[in-house]
């Protein structure tokens, strides 16, 4: 599943993202903007991810798909760390009320 090129690509993505966040902190920009900028830099501009996608195509999954899946897992993990049961209950009440209003309004 993983070869050395895929691991190198993931390392490049992590280091570039971290460097972008450091630069973003200097100019007081949000971290998400830095991550988006790093993704644009590595994808369409430098084509780092395109090269690794060609080498990983023989394994059935491209590097972009693997990195995207890892990113989603890490994002959900971080969201899970930040949520408390009280926040979920508060949001659940509002979401339940809104969904009930939408359902009633449809009919």
């Amino acid at each position: 599943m993983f070869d050395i090129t895929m691991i190198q690509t993931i390392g490049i993505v992590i280091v570039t993202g971290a460097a972008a966040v450091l630069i973003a902190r200097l100019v007081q920009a949000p971290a998400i903007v830095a991550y988006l900028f790093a993704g644009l830099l590595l994808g369409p501009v430098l084509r780092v991810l395109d090269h690794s996608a060609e080498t990983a195509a023989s394994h059935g999954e491209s590097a972009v798909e693997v990195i995207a899946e890892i990113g989603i897992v890490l994002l959900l993990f971080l969201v899970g760390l930040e949520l408390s049961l009280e926040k979920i209950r508060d949001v659940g009440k509002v979401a339940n009320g809104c969904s009930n209003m939408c359902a009633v309004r449809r009919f």
Side-chain angles (χ1 to χ4, degrees):
M1 180 177 168
F2 286 110
D3 61 346
I4 193 69
T5 307
M6 180 95 54
I7 294 170
Q8 287 174 343
T9 303
I10 292 171
I12 291 169
V13 168
I14 291 171
V15 169
T16 306
V21 168
L22 289 175
I23 294 170
R25 285 187 181 170
L26 291 175
V27 296
Q28 298 178 348
I32 191 70
V33 173
Y35 291 137
L36 290 172
F37 179 72
L40 286 172
L41 183 70
L42 291 176
V45 176
L46 296 178
R47 301 210 184 272
V48 171
L49 298 179
D50 289 344
H51 172 69
S52 62
E54 292 171 3
T55 58
S58 61
H59 298 291
E61 277 188 297
S62 72
V64 175
E65 290 175 352
V66 172
I67 292 171
E69 289 175 5
I70 292 171
I72 294 296
V73 168
L74 290 175
L75 177 67
L76 290 174
F77 178 73
L78 289 173
V79 167
L81 287 177
E82 292 292 323
L83 284 179
S84 66
L85 193 55
E86 293 175 7
K87 287 182 183 178
I88 294 173
R89 286 183 184 152
D90 291 341
V91 171
K93 291 175 185 175
V94 173
N96 190 17
C98 290
S99 63
N100 288 338
M101 294 283 285
C102 288
V104 168
R105 194 173 137 202
R106 277 192 95 141
F107 296 110

